[in-house]
Amino acid sequence: MSARETILSALHTRLSMLPTGALRGDVLPERVPAQGLLILRDGEPGEPEVTLSPLRYHYQHRAEIEAVVQGTNDRDAAFDTLCVSIGAVITADRTLDGLCDWVEAEAPQSVDLPVEGAASLKAAVIPVILSYSTADPLA
């Protein structure tokens, strides 16, 4: 596997250990579980900085985590708990067992989404910056 895929898989594995579990690259299902839902999006690796001798590509890969809760009772508290748990997973191992130089989450950009005939959704995109280097942009 490429460094990019190895890192994204490691992040997905850690997010999957949360009570909500985590999907990767899936569409938002029709029903959101009571504890909430996380979807990891691969995002963009961006333009790397390149060093020579030895040749290395240094990425600041911007992945995204979509966090979603639904309901009317304590929706804001459930959303906050979900965001805090994502932060705890990231800060527990900022190198993903040495796969990354550093992993950093940015503040959530939350929105309330009305759903016809159901309780509204509270959702956010949480950008996650994955800093890593590789000898080949395709490997």
Side-chain angles (χ1 to χ4, degrees):
M1 281 196 302
S2 67
R4 175 185 59 256
E5 180 59 26
T6 301
I7 290 165
L8 288 167
S9 292
L11 178 59
H12 179 250
T13 297
R14 282 162 179 78
L15 293 171
S16 295
M17 292 180 205
L18 293 172
T20 59
L23 304 174
R24 181 163 173 211
D26 288 340
V27 297
L28 184 65
E30 287 185 25
R31 294 187 186 270
V32 174
Q35 68 272 22
L37 177 69
L38 298 176
I39 304 173
L40 175 63
R41 304 281 179 206
D42 290 358
E44 295 292 326
E47 193 68 32
E49 289 186 30
V50 180
T51 56
L52 305 172
S53 191
L55 178 63
R56 299 294 292 171
Y57 297 87
H58 308 281
Y59 286 97
Q60 299 291 310
H61 187 129
R62 184 181 180 94
E64 295 180 336
I65 300 169
E66 293 177 9
V68 182
V69 295
Q70 186 173 21
T72 54
N73 297 335
D74 297 327
R75 187 181 57 146
D76 292 329
F79 179 79
D80 186 60
T81 300
L82 185 57
C83 290
V84 168
S85 66
I86 293 167
V89 164
I90 291 171
T91 58
D93 182 6
R94 289 206 182 262
T95 66
L96 298 175
D97 286 333
L99 297 172
C100 279
D101 296 323
W102 193 253
V103 178
E104 183 77 34
E106 295 180 355
Q109 305 159 7
S110 62
V111 294
D112 289 318
L113 303 170
V115 177
E116 189 174 326
S120 65
L121 299 172
K122 184 161 187 167
V125 172
I126 302 171
V128 178
I129 308 304
L130 306 163
S131 301
Y132 61 93
S133 298
T134 182
D136 183 341
L138 297 178

